[in-house]
Amino acid sequence: MGHECDDCGETFETLSRLRLHDCGNDHSDGSLDASEVSGVSDTAGVNDSTSPSSGGGSGRSVAELDDPLDRVADGDVDAIHHAIAAFESTLSAALDEGGSGDTYREVFWSYYEPVADALDAATRSEGRDVLDDVMDAYDPAADDELPLVTPALANVVGRYVIRTRLADGVEAVPITSLEYLDAVAVDAADGDDIALEEAHAYGWGIGHPDHSIVDRLRARAKSGDLSVNPTLEHAFYADQYAAVDALERLVGDESIDGTFPRVNRDDMPYRRYLLDCVYDLKTDDSRPRTPRYYDWAGEFDYAFELDEAVERRVRDLVEGTGFDAELPDDWTLRDLGI
């Protein structure tokens, strides 16, 4: 399927080529002039979803983004590529302005959810080829920095992995999707927190017959990657039996000898830190909050209950490694919180 430039009409065989295309049109990059955004927001937390479609936030709409998003909503699936390209270039333009970063945050949080929802809708309508095309064009491992649109893309890849697993089983989860999320986690740098949080859905690939989640997590754990913990939490919701196998392997691996830094307290052994992943497993209505804007539990009428045998294995693991030494005698999973 070809991809056509909205400005000059030239067609490209791949989305990557369209992304790198420069037709010389002053508006082809979808950039945003500083005067087009006002009422900036200086918050960027998990619950700060300032979507223009929902009336949240105070920023003005960006025509270069609104138009392709409207086209996707009207059934023009190809327009999703233009929406993502406009999102990337608009964020880049906001960064180039310098200053406090308020303009960047305003654009990011205003369009994060609409872009992710549009890509998710296009993927569900046309199939995984749409998502594969986008993952290839915005390869997180291609450059020294993650593409600016990575959080929205990783969000949709995470939705796809979860939805596919719950609907068709882990064997149906594409390896390309798992490799993408792993690459985001591996290549994330300081400041890439949102993208990294979206990559935690990688844990839903636990038990895949052709992609060893545990081996990848072990490699990350040996480098002190703190995202292994929340990724394991996701894995428990995907398959608690495979997840406890993974937890036993990682916590019992003495070659993982790093530490978890704590403010005003002694550093914690990294393997002890991993046990924090079970903190919420017996808490009512507490599930991972990523991917953002996606209620996977509601979509699949999903309910989680920790198996007593799995809890017993966790307790045996804690006691067998000696990490119960500083816990109360009647400790619970909540006491394993860092």
Side-chain angles (χ1 to χ4, degrees):
M1 176 179 66
H3 303 287
E4 182 178 322
C5 174
D6 271 354
D7 294 298
C8 70
E10 186 174 353
T11 301
F12 299 88
E13 183 177 346
T14 67
L15 182 57
S16 295
R17 291 186 180 274
L18 173 62
R19 183 189 176 206
L20 298 174
H21 164 60
D22 182 5
C23 67
N25 188 308
D26 289 341
H27 301 289
S28 63
D29 65 353
S31 60
L32 175 72
D33 185 79
S35 64
E36 294 184 70
V37 174
S38 65
V40 294
S41 168
D42 59 359
T43 56
V46 170
N47 296 317
D48 181 19
S49 56
T50 55
S51 163
S53 61
S54 64
S58 54
R60 295 176 183 172
S61 297
V62 181
E64 291 86 348
L65 273 161
D66 288 335
D67 177 66
L69 288 172
D70 288 342
R71 286 158 53 197
V72 174
D74 290 339
D76 181 3
V77 175
D78 287 348
I80 188 59
H81 305 306
H82 303 294
I84 295 170
F87 190 32
E88 179 186 46
S89 56
T90 304
L91 289 173
S92 179
L95 274 184
D96 290 342
E97 292 175 16
S100 66
D102 287 340
T103 299
Y104 180 89
R105 285 191 291 271
E106 174 71 9
V107 174
F108 179 85
W109 286 111
S110 291
Y111 285 93
Y112 182 10
E113 181 179 5
V115 170
D117 283 349
L119 177 56
D120 188 42
T123 301
R124 299 190 73 174
S125 171
E126 301 299 313
R128 58 174 281 198
D129 285 349
V130 173
L131 194 55
D132 283 344
D133 202 8
V134 170
M135 288 190 294
D136 181 65
Y138 298 88
D139 183 355
D143 299 308
D144 293 336
E145 298 180 347
L146 295 180
L148 296 176
V149 294
T150 299
L153 306 190
N155 173 284
V156 179
V157 175
R159 298 191 202 193
Y160 186 84
V161 168
I162 295 172
R163 185 179 289 122
T164 302
R165 174 158 196 154
L166 291 177
D168 303 312
V170 67
E171 297 85 356
V173 176
I175 293 177
T176 53
S177 297
L178 296 176
E179 290 177 338
Y180 176 88
L181 293 176
D182 185 48
V184 170
V186 169
D187 292 294
D190 290 344
D192 291 328
D193 295 356
I194 306 301
L196 188 58
E197 289 169 3
E198 296 292 6
H200 295 163
Y202 179 66
W204 283 84
I206 193 76
H208 196 288
D210 300 312
H211 180 90
S212 178
I213 298 288
V214 184
D215 286 344
R216 301 289 184 100
L217 292 183
R218 180 176 182 271
R220 285 203 247 154
K222 289 179 73 69
S223 67
D225 184 346
L226 302 184
S227 73
V228 174
N229 177 329
T231 301
L232 283 171
E233 180 186 6
H234 274 268
F236 269 92
Y237 289 92
D239 181 340
Q240 59 180 301
Y241 308 102
V244 76
D245 286 344
L247 186 63
E248 288 173 340
R249 178 176 169 186
L250 295 176
V251 174
D253 187 345
E254 295 184 0
S255 70
I256 300 174
D257 57 1
T259 58
F260 173 79
R262 296 187 291 180
V263 178
N264 299 325
R265 300 174 64 186
D266 292 339
D267 289 350
M268 172 184 285
Y270 181 93
R271 294 184 298 127
R272 166 63 182 85
Y273 159 70
L274 291 180
L275 292 167
D276 174 76
C277 74
V278 302
Y279 176 81
D280 271 335
L281 294 183
K282 295 194 71 174
T283 303
D284 292 341
D285 298 324
S286 181
R287 291 183 295 270
R289 291 180 172 82
T290 55
R292 291 171 174 80
Y293 319 119
Y294 176 47
D295 182 11
W296 47 269
E299 180 177 331
F300 289 92
D301 194 22
Y302 177 97
F304 177 83
E305 183 175 351
L306 184 64
D307 189 296
E308 291 183 1
V310 173
E311 181 178 0
R312 181 68 262 170
R313 288 175 63 181
V314 172
R315 297 185 69 86
D316 289 344
L317 176 62
V318 173
E319 294 165 2
T321 51
F323 289 135
D324 61 333
E326 297 181 1
L327 299 176
D329 292 339
D330 57 348
W331 64 271
T332 69
L333 298 189
R334 301 289 285 183
D335 291 308
L336 294 173
I338 57 175

